[in-house]
Amino acid sequence: MAVAALGTTVALAAPAGFAQAAPTDTEPVAARSAGATQTTTSTKAAAAPAAWAAGTRAYLVITAPGGTSAVSGAVASSGGSVFATYDAIGVIVAHSTSSSFATSMRAVGGVQQVGATRTSDVPADAYNPALPANPAQSATTLTESNRWDMTQIKAEQAWAVTTGSASVKVGVLDTGVDDQHQDIAPNFNAADSASCAYGKVDTRAGAWRDVGTHGTHVAGTIAAAKNGKGVIGVAPGVKISSVRIAEPTSSLFFAENTICGFMWAGDHGFKVTNNSYYTDPWQFNCPDNVDQAAIIEGVRRAQVYAEGKGSLQVAAAGNSNYDLANKTTDSESPNDSTPVTRTITNACIDIPTELPGVVTVAAQGNGGAKASYSNFGNGVIDIAAPGGDGASGVYSTLPGGKYGNMNGTSMASPHVAGVAALIASVNPTFTPAQIRDQLGVQATDRACPSDTRCKGTTTKNGFFGEGAVDALKAVGGSTPPPGAYFENLADVTIADNATVESSITVGGVTGNAPATLKVGVDIKHTYIGDLKVDLVAPDGTVYTVHNRTGSGTDNIVQTFTVNASSEVANGVWKLRVNDNASQDTGKIDAWNLTF
């Protein structure tokens, strides 16, 4: 992988585990991560083999929920060992070097299914995992600015309603996350982060860190802090937890890792998880194959468990420009050994993105068209979001304090996960189903282009699902009519005992301002009790919206309503901020007017 210098574009070669990467796509579709601390459903590991042996393979042994203990003894007598157990969903992760292990276990009473999860050996690292590197951090001189992807989903306008609640936890199931990054550290939740590589929770500090760059990029899109540095995530007020599900070296996301990640998400209160990957080694898992049928069932049960605990899963649709509603062949599987071309049908599914209840996200380029690489499929795609295409990539965080562009449905999915987190922030009692419905209902309809591959209607089709995600509508805001919304995103420093102003020129509005003029204010300043904030009309009339209240509270991020019906709308309006004390300083980060 080639990582660019601070603030520049990054181009990633696609490792074997990131399948579905289109030839022009610099970003592979997959990404994985894991969790931290013992829970009632997390792993109960038996003693590992004294030493790793060549030929060790991993299997899912599936029983009725609560029935794993009754068959665990048969694992050893069949030539295997129990590596991890998820009794709440009836799943054992077993290892064995015996070629007859699966056949033997399928004959055991109480065993419903058994399937190999890979066609390659379990790495020796599984028994004594190395901690990922903790990269040295580079400070940045980059400041937050408008980005096409955030503008396209109306994120900046949604922040006038909410930037997200710190009580909302979003799990990044991916290659890991650089928790030390200057734009991620303020929102990182180490207590609920861990590794699920190899299918067993590793709660050691730092086990959640990135073994690539993908997960850190995804995390920044979801919730990079609104701190004046680098970039801003879709939901900059929520908390990010890393669950590393990718294995080092291979960067593959096997079924047991995904199961572990979903169980961790359910037990640790994640309202949303982002899943920018497919479960290796099969691009599509087919129910008529005994191994793949067990993979489908094991991951499905873990997703149902997580959703039952209040967690909504959002997933990338894939980067192969493939019609998921008309499957015919798979030539990329298994990707952990030698791929073969096989005939498949729609019964074969990409997991987790095609599991019931998971929000499947297609990618758009700058301007809203389907990204050239994005998978599609009428009845499969739920929603679309910016993923970048070619030179217009998605700009986000990279390990070591760096930033760069990537393209892919992996970049689209975290935009939707971030909007889902904003929905959860303004509707804390919403269930996953309600959040999922809100995403669809509030999406902006996009009709099929003149492309015969796109099937469906304007309101729901194979390229865009129910439409393009809209952060503003999703949180209950409304898009202002053309010409009625004005904003200034330029930073203005607020020094001690000083008065500063930021201006907006309004034009094209007929008559006077309304009695319900909306003044959106985003001021970053410690101890807001120092501040007096006024709206100054074009004729010089002053309307005070904040007058030294709030004591030691930090920041004014609020929309005020002003009766400005006596003022002519067109002209230069000003936001005037007066600092009345020493020690605490800040800036006008942004402000807007809605007529």
Side-chain angles (χ1 to χ4, degrees):
M1 295 186 179
V3 179
L6 176 66
T8 61
T9 299
V10 62
L12 299 183
F18 291 123
Q20 301 188 38
T24 57
D25 181 17
T26 59
E27 196 289 314
V29 77
R32 303 63 174 174
S33 259
T37 85
Q38 186 70 27
T39 70
T40 56
T41 59
S42 114
T43 58
K44 296 179 288 184
W52 173 86
T56 299
R57 297 293 172 88
Y59 299 85
L60 299 182
V61 178
I62 298 178
T63 72
T68 58
S69 59
V71 305
S72 59
V75 171
S77 60
S78 297
S81 61
V82 173
F83 187 72
T85 302
Y86 299 94
D87 191 55
I89 60 170
V91 172
I92 295 171
V93 179
H95 288 176
S96 179
T97 58
S98 171
S99 60
S100 62
F101 175 78
T103 301
S104 176
M105 285 301 300
R106 289 178 188 127
V108 174
V111 172
Q112 298 176 349
Q113 290 176 271
V114 179
T117 65
R118 54 185 84 199
T119 63
S120 58
D121 288 358
V122 175
D125 185 65
Y127 298 118
N128 187 25
L131 286 174
N134 185 7
Q137 299 294 316
S138 300
T140 185
T141 57
L142 298 172
T143 56
E144 297 164 346
S145 60
N146 283 352
R147 305 205 313 278
W148 70 268
D149 55 319
M150 296 298 170
T151 299
Q152 192 160 297
I153 69 169
K154 299 188 181 74
E156 298 104 327
Q157 297 174 43
W159 296 332
V161 178
T162 181
T163 55
S165 168
S167 65
V168 172
K169 293 187 282 191
V170 180
V172 177
L173 277 60
D174 213 287
T175 59
V177 174
D178 179 7
D179 55 302
Q180 305 296 310
H181 193 291
Q182 59 215 345
D183 245 342
I184 292 175
N187 291 334
F188 192 76
N189 173 22
D192 293 306
S193 295
S195 170
C196 273
Y198 311 114
K200 180 164 63 176
V201 172
D202 181 351
T203 62
R204 293 175 297 166
W208 57 73
R209 291 197 176 115
D210 211 331
V211 295
T213 58
H214 189 274
T216 299
H217 194 276
V218 165
T221 297
I222 296 170
K226 205 169 187 290
N227 57 3
K229 303 174 183 178
V231 298
I232 309 172
V234 176
V238 305
K239 292 299 182 183
I240 282 288
S241 299
S242 172
V243 184
R244 179 169 65 86
I245 60 173
E247 297 181 7
T249 308
S250 70
S251 292
L252 296 182
F253 305 62
F254 292 102
E256 60 267 36
N257 309 0
T258 304
I259 290 168
C260 173
F262 284 165
M263 299 300 289
W264 182 267
D267 286 335
H268 288 259
F270 295 175
K271 288 294 289 186
V272 183
T273 71
N274 186 79
N275 303 270
S276 291
Y277 61 93
Y278 72 77
T279 301
D280 299 300
W282 305 100
Q283 181 178 14
F284 300 104
N285 286 269
C286 300
D288 60 354
N289 177 287
V290 289
D291 293 321
Q292 293 163 40
I295 290 172
I296 294 171
E297 181 62 10
V299 178
R300 184 197 69 80
R301 289 188 187 188
Q303 135 60 18
V304 169
Y305 179 88
E307 182 163 346
K309 292 283 189 174
S311 178
L312 175 68
Q313 277 56 253
V314 179
N319 299 345
S320 294
N321 194 25
Y322 191 97
D323 187 352
L324 298 173
N326 292 284
K327 302 185 183 84
T328 55
T329 59
D330 173 16
S331 59
E332 299 184 18
S333 308
N335 63 2
D336 66 336
S337 54
T338 303
V340 297
T341 298
R342 57 180 179 148
T343 299
I344 62 172
T345 68
N346 285 348
C348 304
I349 60 173
D350 181 338
I351 58 176
T353 197
E354 287 193 88
L355 289 175
V358 176
V359 177
T360 304
V361 184
Q364 298 172 284
N366 188 350
K370 172 192 169 300
S372 59
Y373 53 81
S374 181
N375 285 355
F376 57 97
N378 193 25
V380 179
I381 301 300
D382 292 312
I383 198 165
D389 204 356
S392 295
V394 172
Y395 193 69
S396 188
T397 48
L398 296 173
K402 298 180 175 62
Y403 301 84
N405 286 308
M406 291 188 188
N407 298 299
T409 55
S410 282
M411 284 51 262
S413 182
H415 284 89
V416 175
V419 173
L422 293 179
I423 293 172
S425 297
V426 296
N427 302 283
T429 63
F430 267 24
T431 64
Q434 289 173 311
I435 297 173
R436 187 166 55 241
D437 289 346
Q438 183 86 338
L439 284 169
V441 168
Q442 300 301 331
T444 300
D445 292 342
R446 286 194 65 94
C448 282
S450 54
D451 187 325
T452 58
R453 299 175 303 161
C454 185
K455 310 295 183 184
T457 66
T458 297
T459 57
K460 190 166 187 178
N461 57 64
F463 274 18
F464 307 106
E466 293 191 69
V469 70
D470 187 314
L472 179 61
K473 288 195 292 184
V475 296
S478 58
T479 303
Y485 179 84
F486 304 86
E487 63 182 356
N488 187 336
L489 299 175
D491 291 350
V492 178
T493 300
I494 305 169
D496 279 333
N497 297 296
T499 299
V500 299
E501 293 180 339
S502 178
S503 301
I504 289 177
T505 300
V506 173
V509 179
T510 302
N512 284 7
T516 57
L517 178 65
K518 302 298 182 184
V519 185
V521 176
D522 186 348
I523 295 174
K524 299 295 188 296
H525 193 289
T526 53
Y527 209 98
I528 62 173
D530 290 356
L531 302 181
K532 182 173 183 286
V533 182
D534 300 315
L535 175 68
V536 183
D539 67 357
T541 303
V542 175
Y543 299 86
T544 299
V545 296
H546 174 91
N547 193 5
R548 304 197 67 180
T549 58
S551 302
T553 304
D554 293 345
N555 306 330
I556 303 173
V557 182
Q558 188 175 345
T559 298
F560 302 93
T561 300
V562 172
N563 184 352
S565 56
S566 63
E567 308 292 338
V568 174
N570 294 333
V572 179
W573 295 75
K574 299 177 182 178
L575 189 73
R576 178 180 295 161
V577 181
N578 172 232
D579 185 302
N580 293 278
S582 300
Q583 297 184 345
D584 292 276
T585 59
K587 66 178 179 179
I588 302 174
D589 200 11
W591 75 288
N592 59 69
L593 294 170
T594 304
F595 288 81

